[in-house]
Amino acid sequence: MRRRIIVLVALALATAGGWFWWTMPPAVAIAVATTGPALRAVYATGSVEPVHWARVGPAVRARVTEVMVEEGQRVTEGQPLARLDDREALHRVEETDARARFADDELARTRTLVTRDIASRSALDRAEAEARAVRAAADAARRRLDDYIVRAPAAGVVLRRDVEPGEVVDTPASLFWIGEPRPLRITAEVDEEDIAQVHDGQAVLLRADAFPNRVLNATVGQITPKGDATRKAYRVRLVLPQDTPLMIGMTVEANIVLRRTDDAVLVPPAAVRDGSVFVVRRETVERRPVEVGVQGPRAVEILRGLARGEAVVLNPPATLLDGQTVRLRP
């Protein structure tokens, strides 16, 4: 009998404990809505380059015999930058000059024969045509000698030199970069899905690995009218301020600002579920639909439906209901 009473008491305690845990309010973690800056932007990547610059390469394939400038040196338009081996070209000039002299001598002899009625007029015409053709070939060969001198296309600074004496270079190569160190710009690529939102004059925030703790500024200056169908992107020029610390050739991440709100209502991303938040009011929660704005990895902008200072549930359980009593998680 006593054993039966003990068993009944144990069952009663277990039932009471189960009922307690079943009816106990769920424990939740909360966060308080704050205000701060919210930025809606179009992301792009790009590289820094001068506004005025040009790649300079050889006009012919040949061996470099002399490099005549150094990096950082200022040059004038047409100034020689490098000299190529032109010995074979000189031989062609000598050959065509000799042929031209011979053709001139033949023309003079034919004219003499025509005046003596020994040669026909048609023979004279042929000799004149041959002399003109050979002389033109000689002049062209002489002009091609200038192809063996690499010249500056415009005045500027030698920004980079990628050639040494003795190298064999060909027409696709870029031997020198000539331009002005300032002003600078960024050439960035914007996805075709975002380009309709980008306009001249928009502010741009930049990040570069060389300056990890700084946000740098730029402005949208130009949008290329024709996009790249293969890359599905448009080229956008970003204007840099004169005092920018960025250097030519650096790569940057650019955020083209579409909208900026300095006092936006912000909550952690974990507080938003299916377009709603659960606002904690004393011991109960209120399910409230909200309009979400900018979404980032650390915060979500709430455009409507929530005020600063209100507490919201983080990671609300799927079973949490509007008006349900909750307790704070220790």
Short mmCIF file of all heavy atoms in Angstrom, two decimals, residues 140-187:
data_model
loop_
_atom_site.label_atom_id
_atom_site.label_comp_id
_atom_site.label_asym_id
_atom_site.label_seq_id
_atom_site.Cartn_x
_atom_site.Cartn_y
_atom_site.Cartn_z
N ALA A 140 59.39 55.07 -99.52
CA ALA A 140 58.65 54.35 -98.49
C ALA A 140 59.61 53.60 -97.57
O ALA A 140 59.42 53.58 -96.34
CB ALA A 140 57.66 53.39 -99.12
N ALA A 141 60.63 52.98 -98.13
CA ALA A 141 61.61 52.27 -97.31
C ALA A 141 62.35 53.22 -96.38
O ALA A 141 62.62 52.90 -95.21
CB ALA A 141 62.60 51.53 -98.21
N ARG A 142 62.63 54.43 -96.86
CA ARG A 142 63.31 55.42 -96.02
C ARG A 142 62.38 55.89 -94.91
O ARG A 142 62.82 56.10 -93.76
CB ARG A 142 63.78 56.58 -96.89
CG ARG A 142 64.69 57.56 -96.17
CD ARG A 142 65.31 58.54 -97.15
NE ARG A 142 66.20 57.85 -98.08
CZ ARG A 142 67.44 57.49 -97.79
NH1 ARG A 142 67.94 57.73 -96.59
NH2 ARG A 142 68.18 56.88 -98.70
N ARG A 143 61.09 56.08 -95.23
CA ARG A 143 60.15 56.52 -94.18
C ARG A 143 59.98 55.45 -93.11
O ARG A 143 59.79 55.77 -91.93
CB ARG A 143 58.80 56.86 -94.81
CG ARG A 143 58.78 58.19 -95.55
CD ARG A 143 57.34 58.63 -95.83
NE ARG A 143 56.63 57.64 -96.65
CZ ARG A 143 56.62 57.65 -97.98
NH1 ARG A 143 57.29 58.60 -98.64
NH2 ARG A 143 55.95 56.73 -98.66
N ARG A 144 60.06 54.19 -93.53
CA ARG A 144 59.89 53.12 -92.54
C ARG A 144 61.04 53.05 -91.54
O ARG A 144 60.91 52.40 -90.51
CB ARG A 144 59.73 51.78 -93.26
CG ARG A 144 58.31 51.55 -93.79
CD ARG A 144 58.11 50.09 -94.16
NE ARG A 144 58.88 49.71 -95.32
CZ ARG A 144 58.46 49.84 -96.58
NH1 ARG A 144 57.26 50.34 -96.83
NH2 ARG A 144 59.23 49.46 -97.59
N LEU A 145 62.12 53.71 -91.83
CA LEU A 145 63.21 53.76 -90.86
C LEU A 145 62.75 54.39 -89.54
O LEU A 145 63.24 54.02 -88.46
CB LEU A 145 64.39 54.57 -91.42
CG LEU A 145 65.29 53.87 -92.44
CD1 LEU A 145 66.35 54.84 -92.94
CD2 LEU A 145 65.94 52.64 -91.80
N ASP A 146 61.79 55.32 -89.62
CA ASP A 146 61.31 55.98 -88.41
C ASP A 146 60.52 55.02 -87.52
O ASP A 146 60.36 55.28 -86.32
CB ASP A 146 60.44 57.18 -88.77
CG ASP A 146 60.26 58.12 -87.60
OD1 ASP A 146 61.29 58.61 -87.07
OD2 ASP A 146 59.10 58.35 -87.17
N ASP A 147 60.02 53.90 -88.08
CA ASP A 147 59.32 52.92 -87.26
C ASP A 147 60.24 52.24 -86.26
O ASP A 147 59.76 51.61 -85.30
CB ASP A 147 58.68 51.84 -88.15
CG ASP A 147 57.55 52.40 -89.00
OD1 ASP A 147 57.02 53.47 -88.65
OD2 ASP A 147 57.18 51.75 -90.00
N TYR A 148 61.54 52.36 -86.47
CA TYR A 148 62.50 51.72 -85.58
C TYR A 148 62.90 52.64 -84.43
O TYR A 148 63.82 52.31 -83.67
CB TYR A 148 63.73 51.26 -86.37
CG TYR A 148 63.39 50.10 -87.28
CD1 TYR A 148 62.79 50.33 -88.52
CD2 TYR A 148 63.61 48.79 -86.90
CE1 TYR A 148 62.45 49.27 -89.36
CE2 TYR A 148 63.27 47.74 -87.73
CZ TYR A 148 62.68 47.99 -88.95
OH TYR A 148 62.33 46.94 -89.76
N ILE A 149 62.22 53.76 -84.32
CA ILE A 149 62.39 54.65 -83.17
C ILE A 149 61.03 54.77 -82.49
O ILE A 149 60.06 55.19 -83.11
CB ILE A 149 62.91 56.03 -83.59
CG1 ILE A 149 64.26 55.91 -84.29
CG2 ILE A 149 63.01 56.95 -82.37
CD1 ILE A 149 64.78 57.23 -84.81
N VAL A 150 60.96 54.38 -81.22
CA VAL A 150 59.71 54.50 -80.44
C VAL A 150 59.67 55.90 -79.86
O VAL A 150 60.57 56.29 -79.10
CB VAL A 150 59.65 53.44 -79.33
CG1 VAL A 150 58.34 53.55 -78.55
CG2 VAL A 150 59.80 52.04 -79.92
N ARG A 151 58.63 56.67 -80.22
CA ARG A 151 58.54 58.07 -79.81
C ARG A 151 57.35 58.30 -78.89
O ARG A 151 56.36 57.56 -78.92
CB ARG A 151 58.42 58.98 -81.03
CG ARG A 151 59.60 58.87 -82.01
CD ARG A 151 59.43 59.81 -83.17
NE ARG A 151 60.51 59.66 -84.15
CZ ARG A 151 61.67 60.30 -84.06
NH1 ARG A 151 61.87 61.17 -83.06
NH2 ARG A 151 62.62 60.12 -84.98
N ALA A 152 57.43 59.35 -78.09
CA ALA A 152 56.33 59.74 -77.21
C ALA A 152 55.19 60.31 -78.03
O ALA A 152 55.40 61.22 -78.84
CB ALA A 152 56.81 60.77 -76.19
N PRO A 153 53.96 59.82 -77.86
CA PRO A 153 52.83 60.34 -78.65
C PRO A 153 52.36 61.71 -78.20
O PRO A 153 51.69 62.42 -78.93
CB PRO A 153 51.74 59.29 -78.42
CG PRO A 153 52.06 58.72 -77.07
CD PRO A 153 53.56 58.73 -76.97
N ALA A 154 52.74 62.07 -76.97
CA ALA A 154 52.34 63.37 -76.42
C ALA A 154 53.28 63.72 -75.29
O ALA A 154 54.02 62.85 -74.79
CB ALA A 154 50.89 63.34 -75.93
N ALA A 155 53.26 64.97 -74.88
CA ALA A 155 54.08 65.38 -73.75
C ALA A 155 53.52 64.78 -72.46
O ALA A 155 52.31 64.62 -72.30
CB ALA A 155 54.10 66.91 -73.65
N GLY A 156 54.41 64.43 -71.55
CA GLY A 156 53.98 63.85 -70.28
C GLY A 156 55.14 63.27 -69.52
O GLY A 156 56.31 63.55 -69.80
N VAL A 157 54.80 62.43 -68.55
CA VAL A 157 55.79 61.78 -67.69
C VAL A 157 55.81 60.29 -68.02
O VAL A 157 54.77 59.69 -68.31
CB VAL A 157 55.44 62.00 -66.21
CG1 VAL A 157 56.38 61.20 -65.30
CG2 VAL A 157 55.51 63.48 -65.87
N VAL A 158 56.99 59.72 -67.99
CA VAL A 158 57.10 58.27 -68.17
C VAL A 158 56.60 57.61 -66.88
O VAL A 158 57.32 57.55 -65.88
CB VAL A 158 58.56 57.85 -68.48
CG1 VAL A 158 58.63 56.34 -68.68
CG2 VAL A 158 59.07 58.58 -69.71
N LEU A 159 55.36 57.16 -66.92
CA LEU A 159 54.75 56.57 -65.73
C LEU A 159 55.27 55.16 -65.46
O LEU A 159 55.35 54.72 -64.32
CB LEU A 159 53.23 56.53 -65.90
CG LEU A 159 52.55 57.89 -66.16
CD1 LEU A 159 51.08 57.69 -66.46
CD2 LEU A 159 52.73 58.81 -64.96
N ARG A 160 55.62 54.47 -66.53
CA ARG A 160 56.13 53.11 -66.38
C ARG A 160 56.92 52.73 -67.62
O ARG A 160 56.59 53.14 -68.72
CB ARG A 160 54.96 52.14 -66.17
CG ARG A 160 55.37 50.69 -66.03
CD ARG A 160 54.24 49.85 -65.51
NE ARG A 160 54.54 48.44 -65.57
CZ ARG A 160 53.89 47.50 -64.89
NH1 ARG A 160 52.90 47.84 -64.10
NH2 ARG A 160 54.23 46.24 -65.00
N ARG A 161 57.97 51.95 -67.39
CA ARG A 161 58.79 51.45 -68.50
C ARG A 161 58.90 49.94 -68.35
O ARG A 161 59.27 49.44 -67.28
CB ARG A 161 60.17 52.11 -68.42
CG ARG A 161 61.24 51.38 -69.20
CD ARG A 161 62.60 52.00 -68.95
NE ARG A 161 63.68 51.03 -69.09
CZ ARG A 161 64.95 51.29 -68.87
NH1 ARG A 161 65.32 52.50 -68.51
NH2 ARG A 161 65.86 50.35 -69.01
N ASP A 162 58.56 49.22 -69.41
CA ASP A 162 58.58 47.77 -69.38
C ASP A 162 59.44 47.20 -70.49
O ASP A 162 59.03 46.27 -71.20
CB ASP A 162 57.14 47.22 -69.51
CG ASP A 162 56.40 47.23 -68.19
OD1 ASP A 162 57.06 47.27 -67.14
OD2 ASP A 162 55.16 47.24 -68.20
N VAL A 163 60.63 47.71 -70.64
CA VAL A 163 61.52 47.22 -71.69
C VAL A 163 62.96 47.46 -71.28
O VAL A 163 63.27 48.43 -70.57
CB VAL A 163 61.22 47.92 -73.03
CG1 VAL A 163 61.51 49.41 -72.96
CG2 VAL A 163 61.98 47.27 -74.17
N GLU A 164 63.83 46.55 -71.70
CA GLU A 164 65.26 46.68 -71.46
C GLU A 164 65.99 46.42 -72.77
O GLU A 164 65.49 45.71 -73.64
CB GLU A 164 65.72 45.66 -70.41
CG GLU A 164 65.15 45.87 -69.01
CD GLU A 164 65.58 47.17 -68.38
OE1 GLU A 164 66.65 47.69 -68.76
OE2 GLU A 164 64.85 47.67 -67.49
N PRO A 165 67.18 47.00 -72.93
CA PRO A 165 67.96 46.74 -74.15
C PRO A 165 68.23 45.25 -74.33
O PRO A 165 68.49 44.52 -73.37
CB PRO A 165 69.27 47.51 -73.89
CG PRO A 165 68.88 48.58 -72.92
CD PRO A 165 67.83 47.98 -72.05
N GLY A 166 68.12 44.80 -75.58
CA GLY A 166 68.35 43.40 -75.89
C GLY A 166 67.08 42.59 -76.05
O GLY A 166 67.12 41.50 -76.62
N GLU A 167 65.96 43.09 -75.54
CA GLU A 167 64.70 42.36 -75.68
C GLU A 167 64.18 42.46 -77.11
O GLU A 167 64.34 43.48 -77.78
CB GLU A 167 63.64 42.93 -74.73
CG GLU A 167 63.94 42.73 -73.25
CD GLU A 167 62.80 43.24 -72.38
OE1 GLU A 167 61.65 43.25 -72.84
OE2 GLU A 167 63.09 43.65 -71.24
N VAL A 168 63.54 41.37 -77.55
CA VAL A 168 62.85 41.37 -78.83
C VAL A 168 61.39 41.72 -78.56
O VAL A 168 60.72 41.04 -77.78
CB VAL A 168 62.96 40.02 -79.54
CG1 VAL A 168 62.13 40.03 -80.83
CG2 VAL A 168 64.42 39.70 -79.84
N VAL A 169 60.90 42.78 -79.17
CA VAL A 169 59.54 43.26 -78.90
C VAL A 169 58.72 43.18 -80.19
O VAL A 169 59.26 43.19 -81.29
CB VAL A 169 59.56 44.71 -78.37
CG1 VAL A 169 60.26 44.77 -77.02
CG2 VAL A 169 60.24 45.66 -79.36
N ASP A 170 57.40 43.10 -80.00
CA ASP A 170 56.50 43.03 -81.14
C ASP A 170 55.39 44.05 -80.97
O ASP A 170 55.23 44.65 -79.89
CB ASP A 170 55.93 41.62 -81.27
CG ASP A 170 55.53 41.28 -82.70
OD1 ASP A 170 55.43 42.22 -83.51
OD2 ASP A 170 55.29 40.10 -82.99
N THR A 171 54.59 44.22 -82.00
CA THR A 171 53.60 45.30 -82.02
C THR A 171 52.57 45.24 -80.90
O THR A 171 52.11 46.29 -80.46
CB THR A 171 52.89 45.33 -83.39
OG1 THR A 171 52.42 44.01 -83.70
CG2 THR A 171 53.85 45.78 -84.47
N PRO A 172 52.13 44.07 -80.37
CA PRO A 172 51.14 44.11 -79.28
C PRO A 172 51.70 44.59 -77.95
O PRO A 172 50.93 44.90 -77.03
CB PRO A 172 50.68 42.65 -79.18
CG PRO A 172 51.12 41.99 -80.45
CD PRO A 172 52.36 42.71 -80.85
N ALA A 173 53.03 44.66 -77.82
CA ALA A 173 53.64 44.98 -76.53
C ALA A 173 53.46 46.45 -76.17
O ALA A 173 53.41 47.33 -77.03
CB ALA A 173 55.12 44.63 -76.56
N SER A 174 53.35 46.71 -74.87
CA SER A 174 53.35 48.08 -74.33
C SER A 174 54.69 48.29 -73.65
O SER A 174 54.97 47.69 -72.61
CB SER A 174 52.20 48.28 -73.34
OG SER A 174 50.95 48.14 -73.99
N LEU A 175 55.51 49.13 -74.25
CA LEU A 175 56.85 49.36 -73.71
C LEU A 175 56.88 50.47 -72.69
O LEU A 175 57.65 50.42 -71.73
CB LEU A 175 57.81 49.69 -74.86
CG LEU A 175 57.83 48.72 -76.04
CD1 LEU A 175 58.91 49.13 -77.03
CD2 LEU A 175 58.02 47.29 -75.56
N PHE A 176 56.03 51.49 -72.89
CA PHE A 176 56.02 52.65 -71.99
C PHE A 176 54.58 53.08 -71.74
O PHE A 176 53.70 52.86 -72.57
CB PHE A 176 56.78 53.84 -72.60
CG PHE A 176 58.22 53.55 -72.95
CD1 PHE A 176 58.56 53.12 -74.24
CD2 PHE A 176 59.22 53.70 -72.01
CE1 PHE A 176 59.87 52.85 -74.57
CE2 PHE A 176 60.54 53.43 -72.34
CZ PHE A 176 60.87 53.00 -73.62
N TRP A 177 54.36 53.68 -70.59
CA TRP A 177 53.11 54.37 -70.27
C TRP A 177 53.46 55.85 -70.09
O TRP A 177 54.24 56.20 -69.20
CB TRP A 177 52.48 53.83 -69.00
CG TRP A 177 51.69 52.58 -69.17
CD1 TRP A 177 50.33 52.46 -69.16
CD2 TRP A 177 52.18 51.25 -69.37
NE1 TRP A 177 49.95 51.14 -69.34
CE2 TRP A 177 51.06 50.38 -69.48
CE3 TRP A 177 53.46 50.70 -69.47
CZ2 TRP A 177 51.19 49.01 -69.67
CZ3 TRP A 177 53.58 49.33 -69.67
CH2 TRP A 177 52.47 48.52 -69.77
N ILE A 178 52.91 56.70 -70.95
CA ILE A 178 53.20 58.13 -70.92
C ILE A 178 51.92 58.87 -70.52
O ILE A 178 50.85 58.63 -71.10
CB ILE A 178 53.69 58.65 -72.28
CG1 ILE A 178 54.88 57.82 -72.78
CG2 ILE A 178 54.03 60.12 -72.21
CD1 ILE A 178 56.11 57.95 -71.92
N GLY A 179 52.00 59.77 -69.56
CA GLY A 179 50.82 60.53 -69.16
C GLY A 179 51.15 61.53 -68.07
O GLY A 179 52.32 61.77 -67.75
N GLU A 180 50.09 62.09 -67.47
CA GLU A 180 50.24 63.05 -66.39
C GLU A 180 49.83 62.39 -65.08
O GLU A 180 48.77 61.76 -65.01
CB GLU A 180 49.39 64.29 -66.65
CG GLU A 180 49.82 65.09 -67.88
CD GLU A 180 51.19 65.72 -67.72
OE1 GLU A 180 51.67 65.83 -66.56
OE2 GLU A 180 51.79 66.10 -68.73
N PRO A 181 50.63 62.52 -64.01
CA PRO A 181 50.29 61.88 -62.74
C PRO A 181 49.02 62.41 -62.10
O PRO A 181 48.40 61.74 -61.28
CB PRO A 181 51.51 62.21 -61.86
CG PRO A 181 52.61 62.57 -62.82
CD PRO A 181 51.94 63.19 -64.00
N ARG A 182 48.62 63.58 -62.44
CA ARG A 182 47.38 64.18 -61.95
C ARG A 182 46.71 64.93 -63.10
O ARG A 182 47.41 65.45 -63.96
CB ARG A 182 47.66 65.18 -60.80
CG ARG A 182 48.06 64.54 -59.47
CD ARG A 182 46.87 63.80 -58.85
NE ARG A 182 47.14 63.39 -57.48
CZ ARG A 182 47.76 62.27 -57.12
NH1 ARG A 182 48.18 61.45 -58.06
NH2 ARG A 182 47.94 61.96 -55.86
N PRO A 183 45.36 64.94 -63.16
CA PRO A 183 44.41 64.31 -62.23
C PRO A 183 44.28 62.81 -62.48
O PRO A 183 44.66 62.30 -63.52
CB PRO A 183 43.11 65.04 -62.54
CG PRO A 183 43.24 65.41 -63.99
CD PRO A 183 44.69 65.74 -64.21
N LEU A 184 43.68 62.13 -61.46
CA LEU A 184 43.46 60.69 -61.55
C LEU A 184 41.97 60.40 -61.61
O LEU A 184 41.13 61.22 -61.24
CB LEU A 184 44.06 59.99 -60.32
CG LEU A 184 45.58 60.10 -60.14
CD1 LEU A 184 46.00 59.39 -58.86
CD2 LEU A 184 46.31 59.53 -61.34
N ARG A 185 41.66 59.22 -62.06
CA ARG A 185 40.27 58.76 -62.10
C ARG A 185 40.27 57.25 -61.87
O ARG A 185 41.33 56.60 -61.87
CB ARG A 185 39.62 59.07 -63.45
CG ARG A 185 40.20 58.27 -64.61
CD ARG A 185 39.60 58.67 -65.93
NE ARG A 185 40.18 57.90 -67.03
CZ ARG A 185 39.99 58.18 -68.32
NH1 ARG A 185 39.25 59.21 -68.67
NH2 ARG A 185 40.55 57.44 -69.26
N ILE A 186 39.08 56.71 -61.68
CA ILE A 186 38.91 55.27 -61.54
C ILE A 186 38.03 54.79 -62.69
O ILE A 186 36.98 55.38 -62.96
CB ILE A 186 38.27 54.90 -60.20
CG1 ILE A 186 39.24 55.22 -59.05
CG2 ILE A 186 37.88 53.42 -60.15
CD1 ILE A 186 38.62 55.09 -57.69
N THR A 187 38.47 53.76 -63.35
CA THR A 187 37.63 53.10 -64.35
C THR A 187 37.05 51.86 -63.69
O THR A 187 37.78 50.93 -63.34
CB THR A 187 38.43 52.73 -65.60
OG1 THR A 187 38.90 53.93 -66.22
CG2 THR A 187 37.57 51.98 -66.59
#
